[in-house]
């Protein structure tokens, strides 16, 4: 069963705070797909997750690296922060080794639509968009593996 809903986000701090609330819900094998236009807040949310997992410095955007891995002791759970913006075809992602990273860690994927049908069906889908009042609105889709975990209580 898949559930959906929305969460209002007043500003970038609220977006990062939601990422901090998501972090303790994560476990190895999870995929979080972050949808939204440029500047929507995808990286802010990912930075909140990484900070809550123990990353001391601010996480850089992985736009140029494409995959920015983090591992213990830097963070409490292995995480790959992925930005697929520069991929032209879904097949280009095969070279990134995302399945291997997912074996004992978490994938936070910005621009997951670049994967096409290859996006994991069990992924928590978070779409961020402006709300028209200076804030943002997060629309979420949580498949069965997320039922008991999402949204944060």
């Amino acid at each position: 069963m898949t559930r959906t809903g929305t969460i209002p986000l007043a500003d970038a701090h609220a977006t990062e705070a939601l990422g901090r609330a998501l972090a303790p819900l994560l476990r190895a094998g999870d995929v979080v797909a972050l949808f939204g236009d440029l500047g929507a807040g995808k990286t802010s949310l990912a930075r909140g997750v990484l900070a809550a997992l123990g990353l001391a410095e601010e996480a850089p955007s992985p736009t140029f690296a494409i995959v920015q891995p983090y591992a213990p002791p830097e963070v409490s759970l292995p995480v790959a922060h992925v930005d697929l913006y520069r991929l032209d075809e879904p097949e280009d992602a095969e070279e990134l080794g995302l399945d291997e990273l997912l074996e004992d860690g978490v994938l936070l994927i910005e621009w997951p639509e670049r994967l096409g049908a290859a996006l994991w069906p069990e992924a928590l889908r978070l779409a961020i968009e402006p709300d028209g009042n200076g804030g943002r609105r997060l629309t979420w889709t949580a498949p069965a593996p997320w039922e008991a975990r999402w949204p944060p209580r």
Side-chain angles (χ1 to χ4, degrees), residues 63-76:
T63 300
F64 295 104
I66 300 179
V67 177
Q68 181 64 51
Y70 299 92
E74 188 177 32
V75 289
S76 58

Side-chain angles (χ1 to χ4, degrees), residues 36-76:
D37 291 336
L38 287 170
K42 300 179 299 294
T43 300
S44 293
L45 195 143
R47 285 179 176 147
V49 168
L50 290 162
L53 292 176
L55 187 65
E57 70 275 357
E58 183 175 275
S61 172
T63 300
F64 295 104
I66 300 179
V67 177
Q68 181 64 51
Y70 299 92
E74 188 177 32
V75 289
S76 58

